[in-house]
Amino acid sequence: MYTAHPDRYADMPYRRTGRSGLKLPALSLGLWHNFGPDRPVETQRAILRRAFDLGVTHFDLANNYGPPPGAAESALGEFLKSDFAAYRDELVISTKAGYLMWPGPYGEWGSRKYVLSSLDQSLKRMGLDYVDIFYSHRPDPETPLEETMGALHSAVQQGKALYVGISNYSAEQTREAARILGELGTPLLIHQPRYSMLDRRPEDEGLLDALDELQVGSIVFSPLEQGLLSARYLDGIPEGSRAASDSPFLNSDAVTEELVGRLRDLNDIAKSRGQTLAQMALAWVLRGGRVTSALVGASSPQQLEDSVGAIGNLDFDADELARIDAVVKQ
C-alpha cells in the first residue's frame, strides 16, 4: 500500500498557468516513452511514486503514448487505481487527441467526431470521469479551427475536462484558437510546444511572445532534446541510446562530432553552476518565468531525481546566458 511522502510539497515550486487559478509544478512528468507493456511494471510504479513524493503533481499523456498507442493511459489507469486513488484531487492529469489512433477517416486529426470519441476512449483507459487538461495535439489543416476548438469546449461543458490546451500550434494559430475559445466561454489555458536550448523556435517564431500577450500558460516538451542535453552523449553515441537505435525522434546522423563538442562545452558551463547538463537545460527553459512547466521523461526514479534537482538553481546571470548562446549558435 502506497502512502505519499508527508513533505511532498516542501521544495517543488508551483507556477500559475497563465491567468487561470491552476498552478503546475515547475517540472511535470511526461508518460511518453516509458510506460507500456515493454517496460517493467515495478519500474513504472516506482517512477510515478517517486515523482509524486517529490512534488511532481502533473502527469502528462496523450492517446497515442505507449507503445503501443493507448498503453501509457492504460498503465496509468492501473496505477491510479492501485496507488493514487486517494490522491486524485492532488493530481493534474492531462491527455491529448490529434495523432492516429484507429483506422479510417475518423481516427486522427481534429474533427469533432474524432476529438470527442478519443477523449471518451482515454477516460475509459485511465478509469477517470474527467481529465484536468485536454489538448488538441496538433492543428488539422483540413478541419475548420472552429470545429476543433468547439470540440474542446464541449469536453468542458460535458464535465469531461476542466481546462483545455493546444500543442504544436504556431503563434498565429494560437491567437486564433484563443479567440475562438474565448468567444465560446472556455479560455485557452495552456500551449505545449517543443523548446530547448538547441531548439528555440518558440522564441524565434514569436510563440512565447503570443502566449505572453494572451496570458496563456506553457509547458514545454523535449527540453532535453531527446536526451542530447544529458550526460549520455558527451562521448558520442552510447549503446542502448535512442540515437543508437535510429529512433524516428533521434537518429545517429544527428549526433555529429561538432554537436558532441558543443554538448561538452555546455556541460562545462553546467559544472560551473554546480549542475548536471540535464539540470542546466531544464533550468534554462524555466528561466525568467515565461515557461510554466517543463516536461521530463524518466526511465528510472534516479533519472527523475536528477531532473528534479534542477529546481535548486533556476537563475542565470547575463554572462552564463551569453556563454550558452555562444556555444549553441556557433
Side-chain angles (χ1 to χ4, degrees), residues 72-325:
E73 290 178 331
S74 296
L76 180 64
E78 292 300 315
F79 297 126
L80 289 174
K81 183 166 47 177
S82 63
D83 288 16
F84 295 98
Y87 304 105
R88 172 64 183 100
D89 291 337
E90 296 183 46
L91 291 170
V92 174
I93 297 171
S94 60
T95 197
K96 312 175 192 75
Y99 286 93
L100 181 64
M101 281 301 291
W102 60 85
Y106 321 119
E108 63 177 327
W109 293 109
S111 72
R112 181 179 181 86
K113 166 83 171 165
Y114 164 74
V115 169
L116 294 178
S117 296
S118 175
L119 177 56
D120 284 342
Q121 292 183 21
S122 292
L123 292 173
K124 184 176 181 179
R125 281 190 288 267
M126 291 187 283
L128 295 174
D129 296 323
Y130 71 95
V131 290
D132 297 277
I133 308 171
F134 182 45
Y135 290 86
S136 168
H137 206 166
R138 59 174 172 170
D140 184 341
E142 297 183 350
T143 298
L145 194 54
E146 288 82 359
E147 180 173 340
T148 305
M149 295 304 105
L152 296 184
H153 170 66
S154 290
V156 173
Q157 295 299 104
Q158 294 167 5
K160 297 176 181 178
L162 300 185
Y163 301 92
V164 299
I166 56 177
S167 182
N168 298 304
Y169 280 58
S170 69
E172 181 181 358
Q173 290 167 331
T174 298
R175 286 191 173 92
E176 183 63 6
R179 181 192 67 77
I180 295 166
L181 285 168
E183 291 178 355
L184 291 170
T186 297
L188 176 62
L189 174 80
I190 196 166
H191 190 298
Q192 188 173 133
R194 179 169 180 155
Y195 183 46
S196 74
M197 287 193 294
L198 299 180
D199 186 348
R200 304 192 178 190
R201 284 175 292 177
E203 288 181 11
D204 299 339
E205 297 173 2
L207 178 60
L208 293 184
D209 290 337
L211 297 178
D212 287 344
E213 293 166 16
L214 296 166
Q215 294 182 276
V216 168
S218 59
I219 179 167
V220 300
F221 71 90
S222 293
L224 302 183
E225 276 299 304
Q226 301 295 317
L228 285 176
L229 290 169
S230 71
R232 297 199 74 185
Y233 293 89
L234 296 177
D235 296 312
I237 301 175
E239 289 185 19
S241 67
R242 194 163 292 164
S245 66
D246 273 338
S247 158
F249 305 106
L250 179 65
N251 61 63
S252 57
D253 292 341
V255 187
T256 62
E257 288 187 18
E258 177 189 8
L259 175 60
V260 171
R262 283 192 286 162
L263 295 177
R264 289 173 179 163
D265 290 341
L266 290 171
N267 190 55
D268 289 340
I269 300 171
K271 286 181 180 178
S272 72
R273 289 171 47 83
Q275 292 182 311
T276 65
L277 177 55
Q279 288 170 346
M280 184 179 77
L282 293 168
W284 186 88
V285 298
L286 292 167
R287 75 197 188 284
R290 294 188 86 185
V291 168
T292 312
S293 183
L295 274 170
V296 296
S299 57
S300 68
Q302 294 74 27
Q303 188 180 55
L304 178 69
E305 288 168 2
D306 181 73
S307 295
V308 171
I311 65 176
N313 184 8
L314 298 179
D315 297 322
F316 291 80
D317 61 35
D319 178 64
E320 289 171 330
L321 292 174
R323 289 170 64 198
I324 290 169
D325 285 350

